[in-house]
């Protein structure tokens, strides 16, 4: 990779769609054929941004899986054009502006920041971030970003968590799960986390979980849950789907809430070979509520305003411990994406350029 020529705008492009899941970084390629944009190239309403960091998130797979392997919730029309610079949520700094809304030096976040070093962006596609130097740019991809907001929505808005209840959360060491644990504990709940290694279970315990299940060594899932939640589960925050979700359904209390945030074990897999949920009938007599959760419909709502206020306060008071899994170098973004789906990450994955 050529790093000596500052006139080159290195970028990552999608070379081909991935069959059977996100399995190899080879479906992306590093392109160094484009010159870096100059301030003179801007038109009214545009800014030139130096990209600082990119967010690596599970939902990105709906843009890159071969159409026949897309899960039913995905629209084939969302597939990313081959050869185009890939994009994700990201943060950066304005280095030139022809916008009345942004000045040089402003920190910004965008939901579709291109995977490249410099980007010309329309003013309507980005938001200005506070200039508070005590909050790092990467915080707006993590503890003050989409993962934490998703956790907040699950615990507060959808889960309607109440002190004294018991909450079970899968992927508890991940970007969303680690915040679920801490928000629930702050509200007086008993929290049981689920993770997949001794290191990860120790981490979940250290941020406040009352009990932790290592799903790789616990044996029978339903029995493992029952052993640490003998009085049952009131809220299950699910990010994995499959057989663990099915086991959790057997341990729910009356009027429990199940929050479907992700399906890491089955998303994009062959539906004829994936685990089918068998215990839905247990939800009927217990009058359980099961609801999907996606953050986008809640953007610019009162819930987002409440989240920002509460989380900013907790961060400033040192009440949230948020773990970042930082990879360095734009060229490492594709492998970071693959590692996420293979469970090799530990915390919220970002790529710092």
């Amino acid at each position: 990779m050529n790093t000596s020529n500052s006139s080159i705008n290195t970028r990552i492009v999608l070379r081909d769609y991935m069959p059977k899941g996100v399995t190899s970084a080879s479906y992306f390629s590093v392109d160094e054929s484009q010159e870096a944009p100059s301030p003179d190239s801007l038109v009214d309403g545009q800014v030139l941004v130096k990209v600082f960091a990119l967010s690596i998130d599970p939902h990105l797979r709906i843009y890159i899986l071969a159409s026949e392997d897309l899960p039913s919730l995905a629209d084939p029309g969302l597939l990313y054009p081959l050869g185009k610079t890939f994009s994700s949520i990201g943060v950066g700094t304005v280095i030139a502006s022809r916008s009345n809304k942004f000045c040089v030096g402003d920190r910004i976040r965008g939901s579709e920041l291109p995977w490249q070093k410099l980007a010309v962006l329309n003013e309507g596609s980005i938001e200005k971030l506070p200039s508070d130097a005590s909050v790092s740019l990467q915080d707006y991809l993590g503890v003050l970003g989409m993962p934490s907001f998703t956790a907040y929505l699950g615990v507060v808005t959808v889960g309607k968590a109440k002190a004294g209840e018991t909450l079970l959360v899968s992927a508890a060491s991940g970007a969303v799960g680690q915040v679920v644990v801490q928000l629930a504990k702050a509200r007086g709940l008993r929290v049981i986390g689920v993770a997949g290694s001794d290191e990860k279970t120790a981490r979940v315990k250290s941020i406040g979980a009352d009990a932790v299940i290592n799903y790789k060594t616990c044996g029978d899932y339903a029995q493992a849950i029952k052993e640490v939640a003998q009085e049952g589960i009131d809220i299950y925050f699910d990010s994995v789907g499959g057989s663990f979700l099915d086991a959790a359904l057997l341990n729910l209390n009356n009027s429990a809430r199940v929050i479907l945030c992700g399906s890491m074990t089955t998303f994009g897999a062959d539906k004829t070979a994936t685990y089918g949920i068998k215990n839905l009938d247990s939800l009927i007599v217990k009058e359980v509520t099961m609801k999907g959760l996606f953050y986008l419909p809640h953007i610019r709502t009162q819930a987002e305003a409440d989240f920002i206020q509460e989380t900013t306060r907790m961060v400033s008071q040192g009440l949230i411990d948020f773990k970042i899994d930082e990879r360095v170098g734009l060229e490492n973004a594709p492998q970071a994406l693959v590692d996420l789906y293979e469970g090799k990450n530990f915390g919220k994955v970002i790529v710092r350029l």
Side-chain angles (χ1 to χ4, degrees):
M1 179 176 170
N2 181 3
T3 59
S4 61
N5 192 341
S6 60
S7 68
I8 299 300
N9 194 25
T10 304
R11 65 187 187 125
I12 304 293
V13 301
L14 183 63
R15 186 178 61 81
D16 201 0
Y17 299 120
M18 300 186 183
K20 308 305 177 186
V22 181
T23 57
S24 173
S26 65
Y27 290 91
F28 291 91
S29 62
V30 178
D31 178 73
E32 294 186 325
S33 65
Q34 293 190 351
E35 291 188 3
S38 69
D40 294 338
S41 67
L42 300 178
V43 300
D44 289 345
Q46 289 185 331
V47 296
L48 180 59
V49 168
K50 182 179 182 180
V51 180
F52 174 76
L54 299 164
S55 181
I56 307 298
D57 300 301
H59 74 272
L60 293 176
R61 74 182 111 183
I62 67 176
Y63 306 124
I64 58 180
L65 290 179
S67 57
E68 63 270 20
D69 297 309
L70 283 173
S72 57
L73 63 85
D75 179 357
L78 293 175
L79 285 174
Y80 228 79
L82 298 181
K84 181 180 177 181
T85 308
F86 200 64
S87 67
S88 65
I89 299 170
V91 291
T93 304
V94 175
I95 59 173
S97 176
R98 286 191 60 178
S99 166
N100 295 327
K101 298 179 179 180
F102 295 92
C103 300
V104 172
D106 282 346
R107 306 196 301 175
I108 64 92
R109 177 172 59 192
S111 60
E112 296 184 24
L113 243 60
W115 287 15
Q116 58 191 50
K117 293 184 174 181
L118 298 174
V120 174
L121 303 171
N122 293 322
E123 62 184 19
S125 68
I126 55 176
E127 61 176 313
K128 185 185 296 186
L129 297 172
S131 58
D132 184 357
S134 67
V135 181
S136 70
L137 263 176
Q138 72 180 29
D139 284 339
Y140 290 101
L141 297 180
V143 70
L144 294 174
M146 181 270 289
S148 284
F149 185 34
T150 301
Y152 179 91
L153 290 168
V155 173
V156 180
T157 307
V158 179
K160 303 186 187 305
K162 298 184 286 290
E165 292 187 318
T166 296
L167 178 145
L168 174 68
V169 53
S170 58
S173 67
V176 176
Q178 61 181 312
V179 182
V180 170
V181 171
Q182 295 174 83
L183 289 178
K185 287 303 298 178
R187 285 168 166 74
L189 280 76
R190 182 169 187 268
V191 177
I192 301 166
V194 184
S197 72
D198 290 343
E199 184 182 18
K200 290 181 179 180
T201 56
R203 160 69 180 170
V204 175
K205 189 76 173 176
S206 74
I207 58 176
D210 298 280
V212 187
I213 298 170
N214 185 333
Y215 73 88
K216 291 185 178 179
T217 61
C218 69
D220 181 83
Y221 292 158
Q223 183 60 34
I225 296 169
K226 186 175 182 179
E227 288 176 1
V228 294
Q230 296 182 9
E231 296 183 359
I233 302 298
D234 299 296
I235 302 172
Y236 175 43
F237 194 108
D238 178 53
S239 293
V240 297
S243 57
F244 198 91
L245 168 61
D246 215 18
L249 299 183
L250 293 175
N251 286 276
L252 298 176
N253 289 330
N254 291 337
S255 302
R257 287 83 75 200
V258 177
I259 300 150
L260 302 177
C261 177
S263 54
M264 288 289 286
T265 61
T266 59
F267 197 112
D270 181 354
K271 294 304 180 184
T272 64
T274 54
Y275 183 92
I277 300 299
K278 301 176 176 63
N279 296 320
L280 288 174
D281 55 345
S282 64
L283 277 61
I284 299 171
V285 295
K286 293 182 178 180
E287 296 190 308
V288 170
T289 301
M290 181 181 283
K291 191 175 191 306
L293 172 61
F294 189 44
Y295 79 100
L296 273 179
H298 303 274
I299 294 293
R300 298 182 182 88
T301 66
Q302 185 60 46
E304 184 181 31
D306 293 343
F307 155 73
I308 293 172
Q309 182 179 29
E310 177 175 343
T311 310
T312 301
R313 174 186 60 79
M314 293 181 71
V315 170
S316 67
Q317 296 175 357
L319 298 177
I320 291 185
D321 181 358
F322 192 86
K323 184 173 180 59
I324 291 285
D325 184 339
E326 182 182 86
R327 315 296 176 89
V328 179
L330 177 61
E331 69 278 9
N332 293 317
Q335 187 59 51
L337 190 61
V338 174
D339 288 350
L340 175 66
Y341 299 126
E342 293 182 349
K344 295 179 179 178
N345 64 300
F346 191 179
K348 165 63 188 155
V349 183
I350 70 166
V351 174
R352 180 166 57 87
L353 276 62

